[in-house]
Amino acid sequence: AQSVAQPEDQVNVAEGNPLTVKCTYSVSGNPYLFWYVQYPNRGLQFLLKYITGDNLVKGSYGFEAEFNKSQTSFHLKKPSALVSDSALYFCAVRDGYSSASKIIFGSGTRLSIRP
Amino acid sequence: EAEVAQSPRYKITEKSQAVAFWCDPISGHATLYWYRQILGQGPELLVQFQDESVVDDSQLPKDRFSAERLKGVDSTLKIQPAELGDSAMYLCASSRGRGDTEAFFGQGTRLTVV
């Protein structure tokens, strides 16, 4: 069975500093990994994905994520945080073994950027 | 830019009443998902369609929830009867149907059962 863990409920960072939001996963086959962001009372917005290839993937709003197969991790990063990055972030995984496999979400990490 | 449409945005209903949500996916998207998100938690998959067929409804409480996607396009999720514990955000999403494609989400329906 596939699963996702986001070990931090909340991450606090000062504006201008680098940020990292952690994610680890478990799947039977090849992992397809995704990051989404959610603002209050809104749906989820896609940020980036890892399917295959380069372990560092770049996405929207200056975010990037690093895939680490040996550590089964897919941490979200940004070199310089903005106050507007404050939101709820979700990591998600799909088992690449089947095209019909479901997308499983983590419990979310609330990112708070202080001015 | 194409979007997933959901209605209504907000719904307040009394316990034991019936309630229905509607979703229109992005045109051409073969896969449609219904998720339930309790405040402060991650989305939980209720049902997944591939065209008009259900491919996963293992987490759908089938005694009170039903979902259909009759023509493989738009979809309806129904709850009957609603219970207090059903209060949550109900999110619809769609994807092109290949495993390597991301899902695009609608704005969601916020359900409050009183």
Side-chain angles (χ1 to χ4, degrees):
Chain A
Q2 58 203 74
S3 64
V4 180
Q6 293 183 243
E8 303 155 316
D9 290 337
Q10 178 138 354
V11 170
N12 300 308
V13 177
E15 188 175 29
N17 283 0
L19 68 87
T20 299
V21 183
K22 295 180 180 177
C23 171
T24 59
Y25 66 89
S26 174
V27 295
S28 303
N30 291 324
Y32 292 163
L33 296 155
F34 308 88
W35 275 101
Y36 286 82
V37 60
Q38 186 177 34
Y39 297 97
N41 286 313
R42 304 294 292 273
L44 277 67
Q45 287 179 235
F46 170 73
L47 280 178
L48 51 80
K49 66 180 177 182
Y50 172 83
I51 302 301
T52 187
D54 195 347
N55 289 345
L56 185 66
V57 293
K58 296 187 182 298
S60 306
Y61 312 120
F63 284 95
E64 57 190 28
E66 187 169 13
F67 170 67
N68 188 316
K69 187 174 183 177
S70 62
Q71 296 185 3
T72 61
S73 67
F74 189 56
H75 301 331
L76 181 70
K77 301 181 180 184
K78 188 173 182 179
S80 179
L82 299 172
V83 172
S84 57
D85 293 331
S86 298
L88 193 54
Y89 290 80
F90 292 98
C91 182
V93 67
R94 162 180 258 159
D95 192 335
Y97 178 75
S98 167
S99 62
S101 62
K102 55 190 176 185
I103 302 174
I104 300 296
F105 285 84
S107 55
T109 298
R110 186 165 300 282
L111 179 62
S112 178
I113 309 300
R114 61 183 182 274
Chain B
E1 182 178 300
E3 294 183 345
V4 176
Q6 286 189 251
S7 66
R9 283 294 310 277
Y10 303 93
K11 180 71 178 178
I12 300 175
T13 192
E14 292 184 347
K15 186 175 58 173
S16 79
Q17 295 298 304
V19 63
F21 314 127
W22 176 80
C23 172
D24 190 12
I26 294 172
S27 178
H29 280 195
T31 306
L32 185 146
Y33 316 80
W34 282 102
Y35 285 87
R36 176 171 59 186
Q37 185 181 23
I38 295 169
L39 193 63
Q41 298 182 18
E44 174 195 18
L45 182 69
L46 292 175
V47 62
Q48 178 175 335
F49 290 92
Q50 184 73 18
D51 298 309
E52 66 276 8
S53 300
V54 172
V55 296
D56 192 316
D57 62 356
S58 56
Q59 300 302 311
L60 188 71
K62 298 181 188 61
D63 57 334
R64 297 186 301 107
F65 286 64
S66 64
E68 60 182 18
R69 192 184 185 198
L70 292 175
K71 296 183 179 179
V73 182
D74 59 338
S75 175
T76 302
L77 179 69
K78 297 179 181 177
I79 308 175
Q80 183 173 15
E83 296 181 353
L84 296 177
D86 296 331
S87 295
M89 176 79 90
Y90 290 83
L91 295 165
C92 179
S94 69
S95 68
R96 281 198 290 271
R98 296 199 330 259
D100 60 351
T101 56
E102 61 273 23
F104 294 88
F105 283 79
Q107 300 278 45
T109 296
R110 169 74 66 189
L111 173 67
T112 302
V113 182
V114 298

